[in-house]
Amino acid sequence: MIITPIEKHQCQAAKDVILSGFLERFGFIDHSLNPDIRDISGEYDGTDHHFFIGIENNDIICTGAIRKESPDTYQIVRMSVQSPYRKRGLGCTMLKFLEEKAHSHGARSLILETNKQWSDAIRFYQNNGYIYKDEDEVSCYFEKEIPL
C-alpha cells in the first residue's frame, strides 16, 4: 500500500470508503452526520488538517487523517480500511504513518475517539499504545503521548 495526501479528484472515492464502513457497522448511513467528509479537500487543506489515502492497484483501500487541536495535540480521525483488505496490517500502517506526520508537525500528544460498541477498534487502538481516557453514551476517548 502506498500512502499519499489526498487529491481533490480522489475525495468522492475516499468518502465512499468511509461511508461503506459506516454502512457495514450501522446498517445505514445518516448523511446529516460527519460534515467534514462533505468537502474533504476543503476541510483537510494540508495546513492544520491533513487527509491521507492508502492506494493499492490504483484503488483507494484505506483512509486516515489528522486534525490539529492545539500546537502540540493532533486528533486521529477517519481511519477506515475497506473490508476485503482488513487483517493485513494496513490499519496499523496507516496509524503509524499518521502518528509520524503529526509528530513532524509538532505533536506531542495524539487523541482519538471511536464508537464504544466497536470492540475491535477499541482493541486496535489499545494494542497500538492508546490509553483509555473517558467515554460518553456513544464514544470512547483515547490518548497517546509521543516521546521526544
Side-chain angles (χ1 to χ4, degrees), residues 40-112:
I40 291 172
S41 63
E43 183 72 21
Y44 298 90
D45 65 1
T47 303
D48 288 333
H49 308 319
H50 307 266
F51 197 102
F52 300 94
I53 52 173
I55 300 175
E56 190 172 277
N57 298 321
N58 295 317
D59 293 323
I60 297 173
I61 62 169
C62 184
T63 65
I66 53 174
R67 299 179 61 85
K68 186 174 187 175
E69 298 293 320
S70 74
D72 65 353
T73 302
Y74 275 76
Q75 182 180 22
I76 304 277
V77 296
R78 299 300 167 214
M79 287 282 300
S80 189
V81 177
Q82 283 206 6
S83 181
Y85 298 94
R86 292 187 192 138
K87 305 298 182 202
R88 292 179 33 196
L90 302 178
C92 192
T93 299
M94 177 62 82
L95 182 61
K96 297 297 180 209
F97 178 89
L98 296 174
E99 291 173 349
E100 290 169 8
K101 280 294 180 186
H103 183 70
S104 75
H105 288 286
R108 300 282 300 121
S109 177
L110 298 165
I111 58 173
L112 62 85

